[in-house]
Amino acid sequence: MLFGPPGAGKGTQSEVLLQRYGLVHLSTGDIFRYNIKNATELGLQAKAFMDKGELVPDSLTISMLESEVVKHQEPKGFIFDGFPRTSAQAEALDRFLNSRGTTITCMLALEVDEEELIKRLLNRASTSGRADDADESIVRNRIAVYNRETAPVAGYYQACGKYRGVQGVGTVNEITTRLCAELDAFVQ
Ligand code: ADP
């Protein structure tokens, strides 16, 4: 699991890690955006929440994630990016993976301070075309939602010794090196 607030660099680092470790990348945000673009029922439901910077309801998110996981036959592993984002999602993921005879390897969390996040997201708006990046009040709401609902999920993995925080400021390469050092300690 790659964890961290909006704008922490999860998507960028996922791209590098999935190649290096041969993993399948599952980004809930990307999957929702794909559904919105294709005007699916799920996309229509998710859009109302995403536009406001709110979380998509757990029931929708969990069933969507599970149906994506089962599409892959004998994967080497997954990078979950943007999931779990609530305690209910973390519990559902545990139950789901247990039922498939597997478990979470680790949660790597990118740590970036709030003002830097806001700067990055407002900057990203010009290239991402994402309405939820362009408006500072929505960006601030996403960070507030993260602090309130998502940050506590870290405690769940801390309690079982699977959490590692990584400094998320520096060059892309420097941050990749930090993440790989932590991940290698879990997978070797
Ligand atoms: P970021 O991490 O930069 O905010 P994402 O692309 O991960 O961007 O997510 C964009 C939006 O998609 C979120 O603000 C939220 O509305 C929705 N979303 C993504 N993942 C989840 C999730 N696990 N649970 C609920 N909503 C989610």
Side-chain angles (χ1 to χ4, degrees):
M1 266 174 301
L2 208 47
F3 191 72
K10 300 184 294 292
T12 305
Q13 293 297 331
S14 291
E15 288 306 316
V16 186
L17 296 179
L18 73 93
Q19 300 209 8
R20 188 172 299 201
Y21 294 89
L23 302 172
V24 174
H25 180 205
L26 288 186
S27 156
T28 42
D30 285 353
I31 299 166
F32 285 136
R33 280 185 290 275
Y34 176 85
N35 277 277
I36 291 172
K37 206 169 121 205
N38 290 284
T40 67
E41 182 58 33
L42 173 66
L44 290 176
Q45 288 175 301
K47 188 175 187 311
F49 298 94
M50 292 173 72
D51 282 350
K52 290 183 285 186
E54 297 292 333
L55 293 181
V56 178
D58 283 334
S59 54
L60 274 183
T61 306
I62 292 164
S63 58
M64 182 274 276
L65 191 276
E66 293 183 356
S67 66
E68 287 295 323
V69 168
V70 301
K71 283 183 188 167
H72 299 273
Q73 305 286 331
E74 304 199 17
K76 208 169 149 196
F78 291 94
I79 300 183
F80 294 128
D81 161 2
F83 186 90
R85 247 173 160 103
T86 63
S87 301
Q89 291 179 17
E91 286 159 21
L93 181 62
D94 257 9
R95 279 194 301 272
F96 176 65
L97 293 181
N98 279 339
S99 76
R100 296 174 63 80
T102 183
T103 180
I104 282 295
T105 304
C106 61
M107 169 179 273
L108 303 180
L110 290 167
E111 295 166 348
V112 178
D113 76 70
E114 252 173 63
E115 289 313 304
E116 170 72 14
L117 294 173
I118 291 165
K119 236 181 8 201
R120 286 185 188 181
L121 290 169
L122 293 175
N123 258 330
R124 183 172 81 178
S126 61
T127 50
S128 70
R130 281 174 55 174
D132 63 344
D133 284 345
D135 179 321
E136 184 165 340
S137 66
I138 293 174
V139 164
R140 287 191 184 273
N141 189 40
R142 284 159 62 198
I143 294 173
V145 169
Y146 172 83
N147 288 333
R148 191 174 67 233
E149 294 184 52
T150 305
V153 174
Y156 189 81
Y157 297 95
Q158 256 155 356
C160 56
K162 291 184 172 179
Y163 176 92
R164 296 289 183 274
V166 165
Q167 143 88 280
V169 181
T171 67
V172 171
N173 275 338
E174 282 165 355
I175 298 164
T176 305
T177 304
R178 291 175 201 148
L179 289 169
C180 291
E182 296 293 350
L183 185 52
D184 288 344
F186 279 99
V187 295
Q188 275 166 4

